[in-house]
Amino acid sequence: MTPLLSVSNLRVGFGRNPLENEVVRGVSFELAAGETLAIVGESGSGKSVTALSINRLVDFGGGKIISGTVNLARTGNSILDLAKADEPVLEKIRGSEIGMIFQEPMTSLNPVLTIGTQIEESFRLHRGLTGKQATAAAKDALDRVRIPDAARRLKYTPNQLSGGMLQRVMIATALACNPRLLIADEPTTALDVTVQAQIMALLAQLKRETGMAMIFITHDIGLVAGIADKVMVMQAGEAVEQGGLGDVLDRPQHPYTRHLLGAVPHFESGRAARSDYVRDQLEMASPALRVDGLTVRFKVAGGVFRRSPGSVHAVENIDFDLMPRETLAIVGESGSGKSTTARAILGLVHPTRGGFATHTGRIADATDPSVQMVFQNPYASLNPRLRVDSILAEPVIAAGGRVNGETRARMAALLKRVGLPENCLERYPHQFSGGQRQRLCIARALMLNPSIVVLDEAVSALDVSVQAKVLELLVDLQREYGLAYLFVSHDMAVVERIAHRIAVLYAGEIVEIGDAASVLSNPQHSYTKRLISAVPSIDRRNQHFELDTRQVPSLVRPPGFEPPVAQWRSFGPDHRARAEV
Amino acid sequence: MLRAIVSHPSGRIGGTIVVIYVVVALLGMFDVTPHNPLQQYRIDRLHSPNASYWMGTDLFGRDVASRLMKGVGQSFFVGFCSVTLATLAGTVLGLTAAWFGKAWDGLVMRIMDVLLAFPAILLALLIIAIAGPGTWTSIAAIAIVYTPIFTRVVRGPALSIKAREFVDAARTFGSSRRYILTRHLLLNLVAPLTVQVTLALAWSLLTEAGLSFLGLGTQPPASSLGLMLADSRNLMETAPWLLIFPALAIMISILGFNLLGDALRDIFDPRTRRSAA
Amino acid sequence: MSYLTRRLSTFPLVMLGVSILVFVAIRMVPGDAITAMLGTEAGLLTPAQREALANYFGIDQPIAVQYWHWLLGVFRGDLGISVTYGKPVLGVILERFPLTLQLALMSMCVALLVGLPAGVFAATRNEKMSDLAVRIFAMIGQSTPNFVVGLLIIYALSAGFGILPTMGEFTPLLVDPLRNLGQMILPAVTLGFAFAASVTRISRSAMLDVLSDDYVRTARSKGVPKRSVIWRHALPNALIPVVTLSGVEFGYLLGGAVLVEQIYALPGLGRLVLDAILQRDYALVQGCVLFIAFNFMVVNLIVDLVYVALDPRIRLGEGG
């Protein structure tokens, strides 16, 4: 039997001279009808370009297929080489035989057209439907991706829906004409982990219902286990390993595959939690940081003729303490208030109520040199127009110090310590990679000898293998300088590697807090359970995801609203969760 | 930077034009001209271009080429002075509006809205009506007309830079306001400002020529391109050189600054680099 | 607060600012207020007459009181009396306004009919020869002041074809449409030239931006044909900057095109202001400036309405 898709020796280049700028260097694979192939790789591995070459969207991004064939078996057993097909032929194939969904659902739908119009378009183009028929078909398509209240949602424009909903709309659009192949290019990377689980479940279910084949592109090898039949690992434009799911995950041959599986953090349900620090009662009296009833509310602006409808309760009554040499991870999804908590502790946001104290005394503003912060985006947190020496000097100048030989010596020593070459003092940020920049940010945070470092999604923007190295560095620095870390993250696998304790935030409140191993292996609150079961893992093969369409609750409360006092239940010496009604 | 301009096609052309004009303007300003621009060669009135009078002579027998050089000098003087003033005022207002926000931002931006509610030439006319025509009034008028534009050009990016993480980082260190405003904001505004200065120079040349054309800018007998064009109106059939040369001089100078401005925008903004040509 | 209410709420504020600016500016004219009001004729007055006039016009009162009376007059449509025309200022302005409006509309039509297709065409031919040709033309168009364009057109017509554009007495559109259009077409083309160049440039760059957006890729992945990708998916998203530019330019044109009116001897608003300034007819200057600024603000509001119609994100108050 001929495969649905057979790619052989595909080579793709970019720009005026594609041969010199080759991004995909001879990739071959086959895909049978109904099969799912996962393409795994880091940024720049050529995985997306490979996928875009199949439906030839790569042409519009300045790419050019240098050589190779992309044979698609069409209905009636004719074979078409997509690599040599003309644009009019390709237009007929896209959408009807090959559907595609993309990474950013927020930007992938046309902002000025209603989602109904955008779904109907596929039916008009490939099925010749018009008017009421097209609308009815669009409604069915939305029903199929389990969007409640589909008829009304057809009239919405994309800005009225959340990211997860939009990705469902994208899937509905791509699958409108029942293509036999769906290309999914990192479809869940921009989404929260529980939403990711919903989308994965939906894809798996739709695959079973329609019998379509799928190419699933991801950087997260953990995500592969749940959905793929075959896996192809790409590095620097080449397919370094491919085979059945079990073969690749359990018996990896290529060193890069082993590296991805071994060195990269995977979620292990608490088994990989750190055990190098245990709280003892004596120390408890003098924490590095004590947060007490921290509350941050933002007033919602009213209209000219309207009163303010209330406040966003971004952070509500948060308490915790952080010991020297300890890492407390604050985990939660977007909108949970985790970043606001971090920003409030650094004085970037004014708390509505509550406060915090360090061992040096109360912090009223941002000027306490004993607390420093590392931000999420290493590209935005360094001023592109300042040299590295000026960047490192800034905290010293701000604290009233002078840039003298001693300071310079400290800069050089810290750069060496975080693994950067010493001669980089005279360079500008754009001359560094993302991982190196994050190391620079860490060095900058250490310039003033802080006792507490707040890390706000500090490794989230990095490639997975770089993530692992930066995490290692953070652990070493913690031991060496006796630092306390407040580690804010959405990524459970990363948190498991660095946290001693975990606080789970949901809708602005802590719902569960305790030692990492206990929380991760034995979650008690329903949200924590949901969060942890949503984390992809290489252990969970072809798992049957439960479909769950719950939405994050609104945080806007009417004026004068006070949440009820929380009731806590204990589950072990250092593990408690909020009681649920 | 220079290398980037030279390797950019429109930067190369625009840069060359601007450099030539600056040389001509300086020569004109310091009276290094083929003839005395005020000297009236009575026998050679309305003489067509020849070896002695490269661009012919006007109704009074004055050498057009010399007057043109003088005029370019005058236009550039007005242009540079007014744009410098507008840049300084706009930067200070835009930067402080973005940084302090709230009432100050509202006040500054509403005043700028008021100024922007007038067509540029009308606002300039109004100012000249108050202060009387002349070189310095033109400079002040053009500076006031372009201040709101610079204020907006600075305020927009300043607001977005203010929200960037490196400014947050600076605040967590407790860096002083002065340090943040100069090292973080202003330094990152150099690029958009440079582009805007170049483009504003083109506009100011245009406005200056328009004002002089109406008789409200540079006053005779001093020469300016706008005045020369106004004088050519009734003579264009008998002495087309009176029209053609000043017209080309204005067009090419504005073209030069526009090309250079475009090139700078491309160079500074990696996103638009693809539209380089 | 939604985008539109926010914009609406600043409108009266800015108008108030404009009126104060105009009022104060006129009173900053060197010389006393009677001269400012009556122009050169004031020289013939006796001191007693002056005093009587000052009392009559209320200019012996504090400036704030004067402003208040003037503002009340403005609300009643009373902008004062023009000395040069001996008529109410508002009447003089409204006589001139139809021409200015017609000229502005015609120039905008020229600009959009030429500029938009040219810009879209160039964007889809990015980096090809035809793109380059359009861009060079647009660059030259944008770099040529409109009075230079006007002079060159007149010169080309007279030197090349021996014809002079119909100067003569201006004929309103409703009196003799053909003759009127004959008089207006050259000024409209003159003004439309640079305007079209700007529209070309901005629509080209907006289209280029939009064509690299994710949703355009999505449309292509659905098999939407090229023509439909451009006109249906990309263009509506690229229109916002074009609308902004056209609105601002149109608003300014409503203030009269002094230079072009001067060249073609058209009795529009621009020349009215210029003459008023040269004649020192300050009531007229004041009235014109206020009228023009008001028009500009109204056009801006219309532009905002168009935004809202174009982009649902702005409707919900995310833009701004």
Side-chain angles (χ1 to χ4, degrees), chain A residues 155-236:
Chain A
K155 297 192 191 73
Y156 281 25
T157 46
N159 58 308
Q160 291 168 283
L161 294 171
S162 68
M165 279 295 178
L166 288 177
Q167 196 60 291
R168 281 163 202 257
V169 174
M170 275 300 294
I171 294 172
T173 315
L175 299 186
C177 297
N178 287 322
R180 290 181 301 144
L181 173 62
L182 176 70
I183 303 173
D185 186 0
E186 304 240 18
T188 59
T189 308
L191 304 174
D192 272 331
V193 60
T194 55
V195 182
Q196 164 172 290
Q198 293 170 17
I199 295 292
M200 294 302 290
L202 182 66
L203 282 174
Q205 192 151 347
L206 289 172
K207 213 182 75 164
R208 278 195 299 276
E209 283 172 19
T210 61
M212 65 180 177
M214 180 155 76
I215 295 179
F216 189 91
I217 295 148
T218 181
H219 67 278
D220 183 354
I221 205 165
L223 209 50
V224 167
I227 196 149
D229 304 310
K230 296 203 296 193
V231 180
M232 177 164 92
V233 181
M234 285 191 71
Q235 186 190 22

Side-chain angles (χ1 to χ4, degrees), chain C residues 22 48 57 86 127 154 170 204-205 304:
Chain C
V22 170
F57 286 118
E127 305 294 298
I154 292 176
F170 173 71
R204 175 182 175 273
S205 72
D304 286 338

